[in-house]
Amino acid sequence: MRENLNKSQIERFSRQLVLKNIGAKGQKKILSSKILIVGVGGLGCPAAENLVRAGIGTIGLIDNDIVNLSNIHRQSLYTSKDIKKLKVSVAAKKLKEINPSTKIKTYKSRLNEKNIKNIIKNYEIIIDGSDNFKTKFLINDYCIKLKKKLVIGAISKFDGHVFTFDFKDRKTASLQSFYQENEISDDNLNCEFEGVLGTTASIVGTTQANEALKMIMNIGKNLKNQILIIDLLNLNFRKVKFKKK
């Protein structure tokens, strides 16, 4: 399998290739994979950067927001020079500089009921970095319909949540199994209202990327019917099980 990678790929990904769980076979799976990242903010930036560095073949970025000064402390792809520029445009340019071989597709819009099906159908894994529950439930619903793999992240203050779902497995719980739509508020995801430490976003977004890579290669343990709860103020990591409803 190793001879199917070119000299540049072998050098670029050499530290991954020597890992028993990856090797050339796993790297080829990474190179041929397609991942959509919803929201190029505090979670989407570190997720996208880590996936591009790992060699993901195609990454889609969807966001209609522009860079603001208040974003920069936690949204790692942006600098002060990027203020007032479209996030997807800035992110795409910087990601291509990191790895020119990754194909970057940008969607300069907000994900909604009109466009979601046509966008997510082209990707095998969806990474949700959105900041509101309406979008999270919408993504969850369409990933169920289209039997996609989904990695959800949420952050507030010093805390983070990570879910992974593979909806090809009928026994997999969904976001509704953990949250009830009428019992939640977007205030829990609002960094402007609640505040958030920049490192919290980086750790949760990077964890989402890590879970996506494991899914691609089918290695390690996943979070099936569990939520990973991260408390960085007290450095506690725990998993909580929940059942499909």
Side-chain angles (χ1 to χ4, degrees):
M1 296 291 286
R2 193 177 179 86
E3 61 268 20
N4 292 323
L5 299 174
N6 62 43
K7 184 177 179 181
S8 176
Q9 289 171 332
I10 291 171
E11 183 176 358
R12 180 183 285 270
F13 306 116
S14 60
R15 302 306 187 270
Q16 290 179 181
L17 290 168
V18 298
L19 292 171
K20 278 186 180 179
N21 290 337
I22 300 180
K25 184 177 180 180
Q27 189 62 51
K28 286 186 70 179
K29 290 180 179 179
I30 294 172
L31 292 168
S32 63
S33 61
K34 297 181 179 181
I35 294 180
L36 176 70
I37 297 175
V38 181
V40 196
L43 299 177
C45 283
E49 182 176 344
N50 279 283
L51 291 170
V52 164
R53 290 187 187 279
I56 295 298
T58 302
I59 288 183
L61 306 172
I62 179 164
D63 201 313
N64 67 342
D65 202 4
I66 61 171
V67 179
N68 292 304
L69 181 60
S70 62
N71 299 149
I72 294 171
H73 94 285
R74 69 189 183 281
Q75 300 183 13
S76 56
L77 289 174
Y78 312 125
T79 68
S80 298
K81 294 180 180 179
D82 301 319
I83 292 171
K84 294 186 179 180
K85 295 179 183 178
L86 270 171
K87 288 183 178 180
V88 289
S89 299
V90 175
K93 181 180 178 181
K94 294 185 180 179
L95 293 171
K96 289 295 284 185
E97 289 173 353
I98 293 169
N99 184 358
S101 298
T102 296
K103 185 177 181 181
I104 309 292
K105 299 188 71 174
T106 59
Y107 305 89
K108 301 172 184 178
S109 61
R110 192 177 186 89
L111 199 67
N112 55 49
E113 291 183 2
K114 293 182 179 180
N115 63 21
I116 185 169
K117 184 177 180 180
N118 286 333
I119 292 175
I120 73 169
K121 70 180 183 181
N122 300 310
Y123 299 89
E124 58 188 285
I125 297 176
I126 315 301
I127 290 184
D128 167 46
S130 64
D131 61 359
N132 66 88
F133 280 107
K134 182 179 179 181
T135 301
K136 289 184 183 298
F137 280 114
L138 179 66
I139 296 167
N140 180 82
D141 290 346
Y142 272 85
C143 283
I144 292 172
K145 290 177 183 178
L146 300 177
K147 297 180 180 179
K148 298 291 183 180
K149 296 175 181 178
L150 171 62
V151 185
I152 295 177
I155 52 172
S156 179
K157 301 176 183 176
F158 302 90
D159 304 323
H161 291 172
V162 179
F163 301 85
T164 63
F165 304 110
D166 182 355
F167 291 118
K168 289 182 180 179
D169 182 351
R170 292 184 179 181
K171 295 181 180 179
T172 297
S174 70
L175 194 63
Q176 285 97 334
S177 302
F178 187 81
Y179 292 116
Q180 298 299 314
E181 287 186 76
N182 60 352
E183 296 176 357
I184 57 178
S185 167
D186 284 341
D187 288 346
N188 297 323
L189 302 176
N190 191 328
C191 294
E192 183 179 352
F193 178 76
E194 290 284 334
V196 66
L197 188 66
T199 50
T200 303
S202 295
I203 290 169
V204 173
T206 298
T207 302
Q208 288 180 270
N210 186 67
E211 291 303 296
L213 289 167
K214 284 161 52 185
M215 280 181 159
I216 291 167
M217 294 177 286
N218 193 27
I219 61 173
K221 294 182 179 180
N222 60 35
L223 289 169
K224 180 180 178 181
N225 297 350
Q226 297 177 92
I227 176 176
L228 175 63
I229 300 174
I230 301 171
D231 171 4
L232 292 170
L233 185 60
N234 299 297
L235 204 59
N236 288 325
F237 293 73
R238 62 191 178 100
K239 297 176 186 176
V240 175
K241 295 182 179 180
F242 58 97
K243 295 181 179 180
K244 181 178 179 180
K245 294 182 180 179

